């Protein structure tokens, strides 16, 4: 009898152990899916159009020939080696064994086709790369430029140059681009969410998670509440007012870094008042950058002098900018003939009140806040400033229907000053939406074409920036911090100084 009881007890113990093991294996084998809440969203998923390439990169779909690491150094990606043959010629070896997400092999010819498509689709690509020709032979890719191009590598890291399979039907690319990244498209809902799933044959090792969903939640409070409730696992760019909600380290992890961004305002040089240097200088003196950074944004930004942050070697440390001076701003307007003749607090000239609009948009939480502060401070110096809020900023800028337009932009996407200065402030630049033009600025930027010495390039950048500041080509306000908040069960989602990296094959979920 004792033997039977012992045997029965042993069977029960073995069964219990087996059940426990089965449960644990079941838990361990559960799919790892994460949900990310975004404050900004793409127009579609064609990396060659607009700024969509940034999202194609963030979602782990697309990759470029080279990329930046967290120190903004160029490292290999789809190209594992390269060399500069001469001032106009670069040769790249395309990494062996890489597959597109439909199984097609990545060859130099496929890279060539993708790059030529992007060059044709977006003037910004041609402006960035200045390509004369691209040739392919096996895994060898040769790019020749129209002029010496010292920053070609950094420009190739921009996700507008994400390599996609162009052999697929053209009409499918906007919703389902086929890239080489660790994740491929599972579903796409325009204006709402993108779901990606693991690409099993990824060249750099299979991703640790199975699936990621990216939800567009533009309102910061709603996005923060979604993270608190567990609806999402990660929230991108939580506002300073809500960051304190996630200080419990047993529940959340906050990743922050000094960004390479500037909150600036375009001046529309077609506006009759903004053509006047006195008005632009009065505005530059009449806005309090210190209070914006330290009070409005609660120390999560620093006052800006020029377009580049002080952390960069070509940043603002060698520049002379503006300090808030309401009295001086008022005097400049008065000396230029702007007088308040009817006592309503708004100055006039030639019978016209100095009235300007400021375009703002809500997808960057700091923009409306700074806009309201600017509106109040400009009124104090006699300028009637009205706020106009738009869903997104790019259509407004492209239309030219603005006086001032607040903007948050990454100014060092190539790790070098040339691209930003050329695109935003050279006459005819692709994103020179204010239509600023200065022959001295153009001539200095042209010097970059033949200058390879790094220190001399930085010196050119300092000279250009000082002219932009003195000329008030734009209004440089603050450099913000970037953040990403996640549940503490998520790892590998640290924020980069540059915006276009988020999901990769190392992201994991406990």
């Amino acid at each position: 009898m004792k033997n039977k009881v012992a045997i029965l007890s042993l069977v029960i113990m073995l069964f219990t152990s087996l059940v426990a093991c089965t449960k644990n294996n079941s838990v361990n084998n559960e799919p790892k899916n994460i949900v990310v809440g975004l404050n900004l969203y793409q127009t579609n998923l064609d990396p060659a159009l607009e700024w969509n390439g940034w999202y194609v990169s963030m979602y782990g779909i697309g990759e470029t020939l080279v990329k930046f690491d967290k120190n903004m150094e160029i490292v290999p990606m789809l190209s594992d080696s390269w060399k500069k043959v001469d001032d106009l010629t670069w040769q790249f070896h395309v990494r062996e064994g890489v597959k597109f997400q439909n199984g097609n092999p990545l060859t130099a010819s496929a890279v060539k086709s993708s790059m030529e498509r992007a060059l044709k689709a977006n003037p910004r690509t041609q402006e960035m790369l200045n390509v004369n020709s691209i040739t392919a032979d096996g895994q060898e890719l040769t790019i020749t430029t129209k002029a010496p191009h010292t920053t070609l590598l950094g420009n190739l890291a921009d996700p507008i140059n994400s390599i996609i399979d162009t052999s697929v039907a053209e009409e499918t690319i906007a919703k389902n681009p086929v890239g080489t990244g660790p994740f491929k498209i599972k579903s796409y809902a325009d204006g709402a969410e993108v779901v990606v799933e693991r690409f099993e044959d990824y060249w750099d090792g299979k991703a640790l998670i199975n699936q990621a969903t990216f939800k567009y939640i533009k309102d910061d409070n709603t996005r923060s509440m979604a993270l608190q409730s567990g609806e999402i696992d990660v929230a991108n760019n939580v506002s300073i007012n809500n960051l304190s909600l996630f200080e419990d380290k047993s529940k959340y992890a906050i990743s922050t870094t000094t960004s390479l961004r500037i909150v600036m305002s375009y001046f529309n040089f077609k506006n009759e008042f903004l053509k006047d240097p006195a008005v632009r200088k009065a505005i530059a003196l009449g806005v309090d950058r210190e209070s914006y950074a330290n009070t409005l944004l609660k120390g999560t930004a620093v006052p800006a002098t020029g377009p580049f942050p002080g952390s960069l070697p070509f940043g603002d440390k060698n520049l002379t900018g503006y300090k808030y001076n309401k009295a001086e701003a008022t005097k400049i307007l008065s000396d230029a003939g702007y007088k308040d003749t009817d006592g309503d607090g708004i100055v006039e000239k030639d019978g016209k009140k100095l009235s300007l609009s400021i375009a703002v948009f809500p997808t960057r939480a700091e923009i409306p806040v700074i806009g309201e502060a600017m509106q109040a401070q400009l009124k104090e110096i006699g300028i009637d400033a009205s706020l106009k809020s738009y869903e997104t900023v790019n259509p407004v800028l492209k239309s030219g229907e603005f006086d001032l337009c607040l903007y948050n932009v990454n100014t060092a996407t190539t790790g070098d000053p040339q691209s930003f200065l050329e695109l935003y402030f050279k006459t005819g630049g692709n994103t020179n939406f204010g239509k600023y033009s200065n022959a001295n600025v153009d001539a200095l930027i042209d010097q970059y074409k033949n200058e390879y010495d790094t220190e001399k390039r930085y010196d050119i950048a300092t000279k250009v920036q000082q002219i932009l500041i003195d000329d008030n080509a734009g209004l440089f306000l603050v450099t913000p911090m970037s953040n990403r908040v996640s549940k503490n069960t998520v790892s590998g989602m640290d924020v980069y100084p540059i915006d276009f990296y988020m999901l990769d094959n190392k992201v994991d979920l406990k």
Side-chain angles (χ1 to χ4, degrees):
M1 186 66 181
K2 288 182 179 179
N3 288 340
K4 287 182 179 180
V5 171
I7 292 170
L8 181 60
S9 297
L10 182 60
V11 169
I12 292 171
M13 288 173 63
L14 288 170
F15 179 76
T16 303
S17 177
L18 179 62
V19 169
C21 287
T22 302
K23 285 184 177 179
N24 287 338
N25 285 339
S26 175
V27 169
N28 291 337
N29 290 330
E30 282 182 2
K32 293 182 177 183
N33 302 333
I34 67 170
V35 183
V36 182
L38 300 177
N39 60 313
L40 295 171
Y41 209 64
Q42 71 284 332
T43 57
N44 62 48
L45 290 176
D46 186 338
L49 301 180
E50 303 287 346
W51 300 90
N52 298 329
W54 291 41
Y55 298 91
V56 172
S57 173
M58 288 165 61
Y59 300 164
I61 302 165
E63 298 177 311
T64 47
L65 286 173
V66 297
K67 67 172 287 186
F68 291 108
D69 64 15
K70 287 188 176 182
N71 297 316
M72 290 300 292
E73 299 289 337
I74 294 288
V75 294
M77 202 172 200
L78 293 181
S79 172
D80 51 13
S81 64
W82 55 85
K83 63 180 179 180
K84 185 166 77 72
V85 179
D86 56 45
D87 286 351
L88 302 179
T89 310
W90 294 74
Q91 287 183 348
F92 297 83
H93 181 263
V94 176
R95 191 182 295 273
E96 306 273 356
V98 178
K99 293 180 182 179
F100 285 107
Q101 291 146 358
N102 57 7
N104 290 341
L106 180 72
T107 62
S109 179
V111 173
K112 175 179 183 290
S113 179
S114 180
M115 290 186 65
E116 288 178 340
R117 179 183 179 276
L119 288 164
K120 184 178 179 181
N122 196 328
R124 185 165 66 93
T125 315
Q126 182 58 255
E127 202 162 343
M128 289 174 66
L129 303 183
N130 201 24
V131 167
N132 183 51
S133 66
I134 304 175
T135 58
D137 181 12
Q139 296 300 110
E140 300 298 325
L141 184 83
T142 302
I143 299 175
T144 61
T145 57
K146 296 176 183 177
H149 198 338
T150 55
T151 61
L152 180 67
L153 289 177
N155 288 347
L156 284 171
D158 189 301
I160 197 172
N161 299 303
S162 295
I163 305 305
I164 61 172
D165 189 352
T166 60
S167 71
V168 304
E170 177 70 21
E171 61 270 17
T172 67
I173 293 176
K175 293 187 177 182
N176 188 15
V178 177
T180 61
F183 293 88
K184 60 182 181 178
I185 290 290
K186 182 177 181 180
S187 66
Y188 174 85
D190 192 25
E193 71 174 33
V194 172
V195 182
V196 297
E197 61 184 351
R198 183 166 62 196
F199 174 39
E200 300 294 334
D201 289 331
Y202 179 55
W203 63 269
D204 196 30
K206 188 166 63 175
L208 299 176
I209 65 169
N210 301 78
Q211 179 176 294
T213 300
F214 295 89
K215 290 189 173 185
Y216 178 35
I217 311 174
K218 69 176 181 178
D219 180 73
D220 184 74
N221 292 330
T222 305
R223 198 165 62 258
S224 296
M225 288 171 61
L227 183 56
Q228 287 180 298
S229 69
E231 178 188 342
I232 63 176
D233 303 294
V234 182
N236 208 39
N237 284 320
V238 173
S239 79
I240 32 79
N241 293 325
N242 288 337
L243 270 179
S244 60
L245 299 172
F246 306 104
E247 292 177 347
D248 186 347
K249 293 182 180 179
S250 68
K251 294 181 179 179
Y252 304 104
I254 301 175
S255 174
T256 61
T257 187
T258 302
S259 76
L260 302 180
R261 288 186 163 273
I262 183 76
V263 175
M264 59 175 274
S265 178
Y266 279 99
F267 286 131
N268 190 336
F269 279 77
K270 291 185 177 181
N271 180 282
E272 60 178 320
F273 292 119
L274 294 175
K275 289 178 181 178
D276 187 342
V279 173
R280 300 196 306 276
K281 186 171 183 179
I283 292 173
L285 288 164
V287 295
D288 190 353
R289 297 163 183 77
E290 296 278 348
S291 70
Y292 297 171
N294 299 325
T295 304
L296 287 180
L297 302 182
K298 299 181 180 179
T300 61
V302 295
T305 302
F308 300 110
S311 59
L312 294 173
F314 48 88
D316 60 20
K317 57 181 176 291
N318 295 318
L319 302 172
T320 302
Y322 297 95
K323 296 290 185 182
Y324 176 58
N325 191 328
K326 185 173 79 170
E328 180 65 17
T330 304
K331 182 178 184 301
I332 286 172
L333 288 176
S334 178
D335 291 347
Y338 294 88
K339 309 292 182 182
D340 179 12
T341 59
D342 58 9
D344 68 348
I346 305 302
V347 297
E348 313 109 39
K349 187 175 182 179
D350 299 329
K352 295 181 180 179
K353 290 187 178 295
L354 208 176
S355 181
L356 300 168
S357 66
I358 305 173
V360 298
F361 59 103
T363 47
R364 290 279 182 181
E366 71 279 0
I367 294 294
V369 175
I370 291 177
E372 290 176 3
M374 282 180 60
Q375 180 185 33
Q377 290 185 324
L378 293 183
K379 187 173 182 180
E380 290 179 0
I381 64 171
I383 297 177
D384 176 31
S386 60
L387 294 185
K388 290 187 177 181
S389 184
Y390 299 88
E391 184 76 10
T392 56
V393 68
N394 285 333
V396 180
L397 290 171
K398 286 183 176 180
S399 72
E401 299 298 321
F402 66 90
D403 298 332
L404 289 86
C405 183
L406 286 174
Y407 197 48
N408 182 319
V409 61
N410 197 319
T411 61
T413 58
T414 66
D416 181 271
Q418 180 181 350
S419 180
F420 176 80
L421 295 175
E422 193 165 36
L423 289 170
Y424 283 76
F425 292 104
K426 189 176 181 183
T427 302
N430 187 253
T431 46
N432 184 355
F433 296 117
K435 305 304 178 187
Y436 172 74
S437 182
N438 183 304
N440 291 331
V441 166
D442 294 348
L444 282 168
I445 291 175
D446 282 340
Q447 289 182 23
Y448 280 122
K449 294 176 182 177
N450 299 300
E451 185 54 72
Y452 288 87
D453 183 273
T454 300
E455 292 304 318
K456 290 180 179 178
R457 291 178 66 79
Y458 294 168
D459 183 58
I460 294 171
T462 299
K463 291 176 180 177
V464 171
Q465 289 176 87
Q466 192 60 60
I467 295 174
L468 298 179
I469 293 167
D470 295 342
D471 213 9
N472 288 294
L475 191 62
F476 308 114
L477 297 168
V478 297
T479 297
M481 300 280 285
S482 292
N483 71 67
R484 188 170 295 148
V485 183
S486 61
K487 294 178 183 176
N488 66 353
T489 53
V490 178
S491 62
M493 289 286 275
D494 290 348
V495 65
Y496 274 64
I498 206 160
D499 292 357
F500 39 71
Y501 302 127
M502 181 181 287
L503 180 64
D504 60 22
N505 61 332
K506 303 298 192 299
V507 171
D508 202 1
L509 182 67
K510 295 178 185 176

